[in-house]
Amino acid sequence: MRISLDEAAARLKQGEVVAIPTETVYGLAADASNDSALQQIFTIKQRPADHPLIVHIRDINQVQHWVTAFPELAVKLAEAFWPGAFTLVLPAQHHVSRVVRGGESTIALRVPNHPLTLELLKLSGLSVAAPSANLFTQLSPTTADHVEAGLGNAIPVLDGGACRVGIESTIVHVFTDERNEVHWQLLRPGMISEAAVTRVAGKPQHQRGIVADNRPDLTPAPKVPGQHALHYSPRTPLRLFEDQAELMREATVCMQQTFKCAALLIDTEITPSLGLYTFRCIALSGQPEQAAEQLYGALHQLDDLKCDRLLVALPPDTPEWAAVRDRLSRAGHR
Ligand code: TXA
Ligand code: MG
């Protein structure tokens, strides 16, 4: 059910859940200070309670309300990447709901870069918690149609068009160690690359097990609640291939055994022909940014074919493809 901007703001203020666009993926939003509104997100998504949510704020000035510390390094990152596909995890104020923190002592914050969503945050005066607007473990939605296909037509959706970035935000944890030194860790790769974060924040001095001056490593292991291996999955069983030629051989074998299969390829101009057999495939762009934008839409389309198997070619194992490879690897993990 499509709703207007005014209705979306009114519903959020009444403690209801609304699907909203962002530049990354569509989110299932609720007032981040209203526990019963937040609970509905978990119920609708069938999401475990210990998976924390990202709080979407309208600008950097809102950060202090949520955190006990906003170190200079985190300020620099926020200034460099907000509004944008970038989430900061920082120590949470005591008043922050346990529901939104998923029981963690930290809170995840992001200023989304979507004009309609920023307008909604201003109009409602709220900060909204929003995980991706799909059932737990399923494919993330990048259009309003995807949201309705996954969660049903009863879900109110603010339609902001197709998401430009196409995959979830980069998540960075900024924390202070026992010596009062500030560090950062990448918790989830995204289209704002680790190299881009390093250009702003310097090298992540903290690497687990390795401490520059041989001090024992007392900082906690990176904790990434809610990052299941089985995330972002289509319903169709999926197999990943490093080598496109091997994928094509497997496709031929599937066809000969009358398995119905389809493929996701990368940077291929021609539709591969497999003799007599018809074989549906989609080729993503050879540019990482464009491929990310196309990724979930392509997986949704291939999944809708209800094949016996999806064969997926992985992009090269290079830094610029890290985020796309991460999502495909999780989708293919069974
Ligand atoms: O692009 C995005 O980030 C999208 C759009 C809607 O903004 N949102 C999104 O939310 O991807 P979700 O729920 O699918 O992912 C939230 C993830 C959690 O699974 C967890 O890995 C991390 O963010 N997270 C959230 N709060 C955290 C915290 N306090 N500490 C560590 N990780 C946290
Ligand atoms: Mg998600």
Side-chain angles (χ1 to χ4, degrees):
M1 176 181 46
R2 309 294 159 100
I3 58 170
S4 67
L5 182 63
D6 287 338
E7 192 177 347
R11 282 178 182 257
L12 287 171
K13 285 203 276 191
Q14 283 160 25
E16 291 177 36
V17 166
V18 173
I20 60 164
T22 82
E23 79 279 35
T24 59
V25 300
Y26 273 72
L28 191 61
D31 176 356
S33 304
N34 179 336
D35 274 3
S36 68
L38 293 167
Q39 290 289 0
Q40 291 174 53
I41 294 179
F42 288 87
T43 306
I44 294 169
K45 276 188 65 101
Q46 298 164 22
R47 178 176 170 116
D50 61 354
H51 285 218
L53 305 176
I54 295 171
V55 175
H56 298 69
I57 55 178
R58 62 179 175 276
D59 57 44
I60 194 169
N61 299 322
Q62 309 301 309
V63 172
Q64 297 290 359
H65 172 74
W66 298 95
V67 306
T68 54
F70 192 16
E72 188 51 37
L73 182 138
V75 173
K76 273 184 9 197
L77 288 168
E79 283 172 352
F81 299 124
W82 284 350
F86 182 78
T87 298
L88 272 174
V89 172
L90 293 164
Q93 293 262 14
H94 286 299
H95 69 78
V96 180
S97 156
R98 284 187 67 81
V99 183
V100 80
R101 290 187 277 118
E104 299 295 317
S105 60
T106 49
I107 180 78
L109 298 172
R110 154 166 131 81
V111 179
N113 189 12
H114 191 293
L116 207 53
T117 316
L118 287 171
E119 197 56 41
L120 177 67
L121 294 173
K122 282 189 200 118
L123 193 65
S124 65
L126 298 175
S127 297
V128 301
S132 51
N134 52 282
L135 292 180
F136 181 58
T137 77
Q138 294 196 350
L139 281 177
S140 300
T142 53
T143 64
D145 284 347
H146 291 161
V147 176
E148 288 178 344
L151 297 179
N153 284 326
I155 280 286
V157 187
L158 177 63
D159 188 352
C163 303
R164 274 186 308 100
V165 174
I167 62 176
E168 298 79 357
S169 59
T170 304
I171 305 182
V172 166
H173 181 202
V174 174
F175 62 95
T176 307
D177 70 11
E178 75 285 0
R179 283 181 161 194
N180 246 1
E181 286 169 18
V182 179
H183 305 275
W184 66 273
Q185 282 172 306
L186 184 73
L187 297 186
R188 178 172 72 183
M191 295 315 288
I192 291 176
S193 67
E194 190 165 8
V197 176
T198 304
R199 278 196 290 277
V200 176
K203 281 224 163 63
Q205 297 149 329
H206 169 74
Q207 287 178 357
R208 261 194 309 149
I210 308 165
V211 178
D213 53 3
N214 285 335
R215 282 180 290 120
D217 179 5
L218 298 175
T219 36
K223 216 174 155 216
V224 194
Q227 282 282 76
H228 265 225
L230 228 182
H231 239 114
Y232 319 113
S233 297
R235 283 154 300 203
T236 317
L238 185 148
R239 254 192 79 184
L240 302 172
F241 293 84
E242 294 284 353
D243 176 14
Q244 214 144 281
E246 194 193 329
L247 181 155
M248 296 312 291
R249 282 194 293 278
E250 177 66 18
T252 313
V253 172
C254 282
M255 296 299 187
Q256 283 162 352
Q257 294 173 350
T258 67
F259 270 121
K260 199 177 157 204
C261 72
L264 184 66
L265 305 172
I266 302 212
D267 201 15
T268 305
E269 294 267 303
I270 37 149
T271 305
S273 125
L274 285 174
L276 295 173
Y277 307 106
T278 51
F279 171 58
R280 182 69 209 279
C281 60
I282 298 180
L284 299 179
S285 162
Q287 297 301 316
E289 283 75 22
Q290 278 171 32
E293 185 180 352
Q294 298 162 344
L295 179 68
Y296 287 131
L299 284 171
H300 277 284
Q301 272 186 51
L302 293 171
D303 203 22
D304 290 345
L305 298 174
K306 299 196 166 47
C307 290
D308 300 306
R309 195 160 301 162
L310 291 184
L311 310 177
V312 172
L314 284 167
D317 192 1
T318 54
E320 65 273 21
W321 284 101
V324 172
R325 270 183 76 94
D326 171 76
R327 301 309 187 276
L328 284 173
S329 306
R330 289 171 194 280
H333 187 102
R334 299 187 166 257

